Amino acid sequence: MVKPSVLVTRRWPDAVEAQLADQYDVTLNRGDVPMSPCEIRDAIKRYDAVLPTVTDKIGADALDVPKAQAKILGNYGVGYSHICESSARTLGVTVTNTPDVLSECTADIAMTLMLMVARRAGEGEREVREGRWTGWRPTHLVGTKVSGKTLGIIGYGRIGQEMARRAHHGFGMDIKVFNRSKVAPDVLAACNATQVDTIDELLPQVDFVSLHCPGGDANRHLINGRRLDLMRPDAYLINTARGEVIDEAALTQALMFDTIGGAALDVFDGEPAINADLAQCDNLVMLPHLGSATKEAREAMGFRVLDNLTDFFAGREPRDRVI
Ligand code: DGY
């Protein structure tokens, strides 16, 4: 039987690539160089399946493919705002993602960021490495206690809930939630969380704000200058969702003029390019999109794509179909 042809846009964990090569006529990206929209368009025209990820911008141009061979885009990652939904629908291509398997690790990174910014760990590390540390003193790099504080979570899906579980059961934090739809009472009760109706209502009530909502146009600059002004002057903003959710120019202002306590980001608008002004802010922790970066999560994400492909090519509805 002829194996379906599959193109993978970036390097994936060895174990997953080996299984892909076993089951499919696969083209791997051994050099791991990002593909251009033109190359992705060409792949959609020629391969039975294309397996992209967050670094591939698959806009209307890449999806304008008369007689496309690809009938499925098996996205490696939970977020798929880099794929133009309306164009994918017009083309009639199925899109799947990889939820669940990265929720714990992404929440771990959000906790890491929250602790780092509150306890000034980034500033401390820079000081030690640069040979500027002059020794212990009672007033040195004094941060903010995390335990027992109030955490506001925007977006109470799987990752938001994992964040709440860690913060509430590990650090005794009080949890307040904003979510577009009503959260089931038992889900809130698991972390003794309360749901509020609007983001504007949430922001003034919390010591930490952690973003766990999708990216894309709908949530672009959800956190803007006006909303940063609603945060408490000593509150911290954590983002492991998508860079575009925050207006980075407004955040830079808030950090430079100390109108909030600090921020910690794993994702950036237009990453990997970083707004040079942001990098000047000492009360900011920055990580290079590490949310799901564990061996366990990255392998599980790849195997989840394989499960979706198996279902698709067997004529079944893939479990993680999003478009
Ligand atoms: C995702 O899955 O959407 C992440 O951003 C990469 O893990």
Side-chain angles (χ1 to χ4, degrees), residues 136-191:
W136 191 94
R137 54 202 188 274
T139 55
H140 179 225
L141 283 183
V142 172
T144 298
K145 185 176 175 180
V146 171
S147 299
K149 294 285 176 62
T150 302
L151 169 64
I153 297 182
I154 295 181
Y156 211 52
R158 303 170 188 85
I159 302 173
Q161 289 170 38
E162 284 296 337
M163 177 68 173
R165 199 158 68 82
R166 283 155 178 70
H168 181 68
H169 296 290
F171 290 79
M173 295 181 86
D174 190 21
I175 309 294
K176 297 203 184 294
V177 169
F178 168 79
N179 192 63
R180 269 182 314 178
S181 55
K182 194 111 195 93
V183 179
D186 59 317
V187 173
L188 290 172
C191 292

Side-chain angles (χ1 to χ4, degrees), residues 48-234:
D48 295 316
V50 174
L51 311 185
T53 191
V54 59
T55 53
D56 303 307
K57 297 282 166 265
I58 307 188
D61 47 345
L63 289 166
D64 178 17
V65 192
K67 301 210 188 78
Q69 177 70 22
K71 297 285 176 272
I72 179 168
L73 302 180
N75 186 57
Y76 180 98
V78 66
Y80 56 93
S81 57
H82 52 286
I83 300 173
C84 175
E85 187 161 342
S86 57
S87 305
R89 287 190 195 283
T90 306
L91 187 64
V93 69
T94 293
V95 179
T96 57
N97 71 344
T98 61
D100 303 321
V101 292
L102 45 66
S103 304
E104 292 178 307
C105 292
T106 305
D108 288 348
I109 277 287
M111 285 299 300
T112 303
L113 286 172
M114 182 165 72
L115 290 164
M116 282 183 78
V117 69
R119 299 303 307 274
R120 307 180 65 175
E123 289 173 79
E125 224 239 0
R126 290 195 285 280
E127 191 176 284
V128 173
R129 281 187 185 276
E130 289 162 17
R132 290 184 284 109
W133 184 34
T134 56
W136 191 94
R137 54 202 188 274
T139 55
H140 179 225
L141 283 183
V142 172
T144 298
K145 185 176 175 180
V146 171
S147 299
K149 294 285 176 62
T150 302
L151 169 64
I153 297 182
I154 295 181
Y156 211 52
R158 303 170 188 85
I159 302 173
Q161 289 170 38
E162 284 296 337
M163 177 68 173
R165 199 158 68 82
R166 283 155 178 70
H168 181 68
H169 296 290
F171 290 79
M173 295 181 86
D174 190 21
I175 309 294
K176 297 203 184 294
V177 169
F178 168 79
N179 192 63
R180 269 182 314 178
S181 55
K182 194 111 195 93
V183 179
D186 59 317
V187 173
L188 290 172
C191 292
N192 198 23
T194 45
Q195 184 169 7
V196 300
D197 292 334
T198 64
I199 295 177
D200 290 7
E201 188 184 337
L202 177 92
L203 295 172
Q205 296 186 45
V206 300
D207 303 300
F208 296 88
V209 179
S210 191
L211 303 176
H212 299 284
C213 53
D217 286 344
N219 285 339
R220 184 164 189 82
H221 294 185
L222 190 77
I223 301 299
N224 53 19
R226 186 185 66 76
R227 288 202 164 125
L228 286 164
D229 282 344
L230 292 175
M231 288 175 63
R232 294 178 175 171
D234 50 359

